[in-house]
Amino acid sequence: MDPAKGVRPHGLALIDDVKTKSGRRTLALPKFAQDALRTQQVRQALERRANADRWKHSALVFSSTIGTPLDDRNVQATLGHSQISVTMDTTATSATAFRRKPPRR
């Protein structure tokens, strides 16, 4: 990765700041998402302790077991997706479902 360009090899963008001030905002998360993020925070703290000598400090919520950015191919393999299009379709469908209001009882 070239830190000056903020890009990893193969042209994959590295996390960057928002483009405008209005892009930085607080979003309300449902309780299940808050719980999942807290669980991830604990998991990451355990990984940080277990790999203290190799840990790369970052502000990433989801990272490798040593704190580095996740590689798209590893994420695909972990999810069991054979192609990036499957991962993208699943993400788009999940995001749409996430925005729907729950049915009334």
Side-chain angles (χ1 to χ4, degrees):
M1 177 184 76
D2 180 353
K5 294 181 181 175
V7 177
R8 293 186 293 176
H10 311 293
L12 298 172
L14 188 64
I15 298 168
D16 201 356
D17 204 357
V18 294
K19 293 179 185 177
T20 64
K21 286 183 182 181
S22 64
R24 183 174 302 280
R25 59 194 175 277
T26 301
L27 301 174
L29 290 176
K31 185 173 179 347
F32 78 89
Q34 293 174 32
D35 293 344
L37 288 170
R38 283 190 190 97
T39 299
Q40 173 61 15
Q41 187 176 34
V42 170
R43 185 181 302 126
Q44 194 175 60
L46 293 172
E47 289 174 344
R48 186 180 307 116
R49 274 188 229 118
N51 298 299
D53 58 327
R54 300 184 312 148
W55 187 263
K56 308 291 183 203
H57 293 279
S58 69
L60 297 172
V61 174
F62 299 98
S63 64
S64 72
T65 56
I66 60 168
T68 57
L70 294 170
D71 181 88
D72 60 327
R73 290 168 296 207
N74 292 339
V75 172
Q76 276 180 243
T78 300
L79 294 173
H81 299 165
S82 58
Q83 299 176 5
I84 189 66
S85 60
V86 175
T87 305
M88 292 171 66
D89 288 345
T90 302
T91 303
T93 302
S94 299
T96 301
F98 184 72
R99 286 192 297 267
R100 290 190 188 137
K101 292 182 181 177
R104 291 185 165 214
R105 294 183 179 204

